Amino acid sequence: MLKINENFVKLPASYLFVDIAKKVQLFSQQHPEKEVLRLGIGDVTRPLPKSVIQAMKDAAEEMGSSATFRGYGPEAGYLFLRDAICKNDYQGKGIEIDPDEIFVSDGAKSDTGNIGDIFDRENTVAVCDPVYPVYVDTNVMAGRAGDYSAYAGWSKIIYMPCKKENGFLPELPEENADMIYLCFPNNPTGMGIHKDELKKWVDYALERHSVILYDAAYEAFITDPEMPHSIYEIEGAKKCAIEFRSFSKTAGFTGVRCAFTVIPKELTFNGISLNRLWGRRQSTKMNGVSYIVQRGAEAVYSEKGKREVRENIAYYQNNAKIILNGLAHAGFEVYGGVNSPYIWLKTPERLSSWEFFDLLLEKANVVGTPGSGFGQAGEGYFRLTSFNTTENTKEAVERIIKSFSAA
Ligand code: MLT
C-alpha cells in the first residue's frame, strides 16, 4: 500500500502567510466598509522599472519571430544574465565569482527551500529564532527536524535565539551545526550583520566543515558601509558558503520571479563539488527561467535600470524611516528598518504577537505579521514592512499610535 511522506503530516496545517491572508480576507468580508492597510507579507508594491518592462517587451517580440524565437534555455540561466550578475554584483566589487558559479532560478524561496536536496538527511540544521519559516518547514519535509513540541520546537533543529539581549544576532552554537541558515539583513528582525561578526560564522563553518546557507535577498537595503552585501566579502567564505540572491525585493520581481544562487567551485565536501551537485539537481528538476524574465533581470543592471532600482529602494527606505521614527517617537520599542525593509516591534501593552495582530486588525485595520509566526523567540514581537505607498505607511503609523498606548 502507498505510503506518504509522513514528514508532511508533522507540519503546521498551513504556511504562515497563508494563515494571515485567510484571516485578513475574513475580516474584509465581515467589514467591507473598512480600508485595510497591508504591512504584512514582504511583497513589493511599486511598479517594475521602465527599463525592465522595455526589455521584457523586446524579448516578447523576439519570441514572436521565427528568426529570434527561443525554446528551452540553459537550465542554469542565459550567459548574458549570469555575466551581468558577475560583473555587477561580484567582480565589480572585487569578488571573484564566475558565471558558471551562478544558477538563475525563479526565486530565493525555491532555492533556499530546495537546497536541502543535496545534503544528507542526518545533517544537523541550525536556524535563527525568529526565522523565515521556509528554512524550517523544508527541513521538516526532508525529515531533518525531528518531532515538534509547543515547548521546545523541533527536536533536532538547533535554534539560535536572536533577542534584544544579544542585539538580535545569533550566537555560535556549541553543538556541531552542519547546515547553518543565515539571512542578513535579517527577515524578520530587520537587523544587519557587520563583517567582523559574519567572519566568526565563516571561521566556525570552516573549522567544523559545515555549510552556511546565506540568504542575502535584502542586501539592496543595506546602508551601513560595514555591512557586507555578499558573504564572499569575508575571507574563506567561498569554501563554506552558498549565497542566495533575489530580484524580488531589489527590483520588484515578486510577481515576475527571478533570483540566483551562487555556489563557488571551491566549495567541496569530501572532494565532491556542491556546484556540480546543485547543477545536477537543477537540470533534472527544472528547465530554467523564461527568456523574457531573464532579459528583464538583465535590464536591472543597465545604467537606467540601476537608477530606477535605487529610486524604488530609496522610496521603501523612506517608508521604513517613517515607521521607525513615528513609532519610536510615540514610545514604541522598535528595531531594524535601517538596513532592511522590515521593522521589528515589541508588542505594546504586553500583548502576545497574535493578540496584537487581531487587535491591530480590528482597531486600526492594519495588517502586520506576528513575531511568534517566525519562531518562539519572536513571541511578543511584531513585524511591519515598508512595502507600501508612503501615504498608506503614514496613515498606518497614525492609526497604530491612535489605537495603542506604547507604555
Ligand atoms: C516575507 O514576508 O517574509 C516575505 O514575503 C518572504 C518571501 O519573500 O517569501
Side-chain angles (χ1 to χ4, degrees), residues 346-377:
K346 180 96 193 83
T347 57
E349 301 166 12
R350 297 175 170 271
L351 294 166
S352 76
S353 301
W354 276 108
E355 282 167 349
F356 184 61
F357 174 90
D358 288 332
L359 279 175
L360 191 64
L361 185 56
E362 209 176 288
K363 288 167 75 168
N365 312 141
V366 171
V367 183
T369 310
S372 57
F374 298 102
Q376 292 181 346

Side-chain angles (χ1 to χ4, degrees), residues 23-339:
K23 273 187 174 251
V24 177
Q25 196 186 8
L26 186 68
F27 179 86
S28 293
Q29 275 164 4
Q30 288 167 347
H31 306 277
E33 74 292 355
K34 307 254 187 206
E35 189 214 356
V36 175
L37 299 177
R38 291 159 202 268
L39 275 61
I41 190 162
D43 193 3
V44 293
T45 51
R46 288 181 68 71
L48 288 168
K50 293 223 163 25
S51 50
V52 168
I53 295 295
Q54 190 56 51
M56 291 203 292
K57 277 186 185 166
D58 293 347
E61 285 296 335
E62 281 182 59
M63 298 297 261
S65 146
S66 54
T68 47
F69 169 79
R70 303 194 188 214
Y72 291 128
E75 289 88 354
Y78 283 99
L79 190 57
F80 63 76
L81 177 56
R82 288 184 288 126
D83 255 341
I85 291 168
C86 279
K87 288 200 180 101
N88 290 279
D89 286 329
Y90 296 101
Q91 294 162 359
K93 295 181 175 161
I95 303 166
E96 274 314 309
I97 291 290
D98 292 330
D100 53 3
E101 297 176 307
I102 308 270
F103 297 86
V104 174
S105 77
D106 73 331
K109 181 179 184 180
S110 321
D111 286 355
T112 54
N114 291 329
I115 195 72
D117 279 12
I118 64 170
F119 299 112
D120 190 88
R121 209 175 74 99
E122 295 306 317
N123 283 314
T124 49
V125 173
V127 296
C128 292
D129 180 9
V131 67
Y132 179 42
V134 171
Y135 313 152
V136 174
D137 288 3
T138 55
N139 277 294
V140 175
M141 292 172 182
R144 260 183 228 112
D147 295 306
Y148 185 77
S149 80
Y151 169 69
W154 294 97
S155 57
K156 287 192 181 164
I157 299 259
I158 302 168
Y159 292 98
M160 306 181 289
C162 299
K163 298 183 164 196
K164 188 178 159 182
E165 295 76 44
N166 55 17
F168 299 99
L169 288 180
E171 285 159 39
L172 297 173
E174 278 161 23
E175 306 95 319
N176 256 326
D178 300 315
M179 297 162 61
I180 305 164
Y181 289 81
L182 294 179
C183 171
F184 288 108
N186 187 259
N187 180 13
T189 66
M191 301 304 269
I193 194 164
H194 284 123
K195 284 180 196 161
D196 52 350
E197 192 64 34
L198 188 54
K199 173 145 191 341
K200 291 185 198 162
W201 288 94
V202 170
D203 292 345
Y204 173 101
L206 289 173
E207 195 189 305
R208 309 237 181 167
H209 304 285
S210 319
V211 68
I212 297 177
L213 303 167
Y214 194 73
D215 186 346
Y218 301 93
E219 61 78 30
F221 288 82
I222 294 175
T223 53
D224 183 335
E226 289 308 308
M227 287 182 180
H229 289 251
S230 163
I231 193 166
Y232 305 121
E233 289 178 42
I234 312 296
E235 202 189 324
K238 280 163 81 173
K239 288 190 166 29
C240 66
I242 293 177
E243 179 161 289
F244 304 92
R245 293 268 195 115
S246 171
F247 293 97
S248 284
K249 316 296 156 102
T250 312
F253 271 49
T254 53
V256 177
R257 311 306 307 150
C258 196
F260 60 93
T261 286
V262 186
I263 310 191
K265 279 174 277 178
E266 287 167 52
L267 186 50
T268 60
F269 286 85
N270 287 332
I272 297 171
S273 155
L274 296 192
N275 179 296
R276 187 173 68 74
L277 295 192
W278 185 243
R280 186 70 176 83
R281 191 261 176 219
Q282 291 297 80
S283 55
T284 306
K285 292 198 177 183
M286 81 177 288
N287 271 324
V289 176
S290 92
Y291 173 68
I292 297 171
V293 165
Q294 292 191 59
R295 280 293 185 200
E298 182 194 26
V300 167
Y301 297 108
S302 64
E303 281 316 307
K304 185 163 179 247
K306 284 184 197 166
R307 232 180 9 254
E308 291 172 319
V309 161
R310 268 199 303 272
E311 275 165 26
N312 277 355
I313 299 284
Y315 183 90
Y316 295 130
Q317 283 171 327
N318 183 48
N319 288 349
K321 212 180 265 175
I322 291 168
I323 302 173
L324 200 64
N325 294 348
L327 294 183
H329 193 247
F332 286 84
E333 210 177 304
V334 275
Y335 303 93
V338 178
N339 297 288

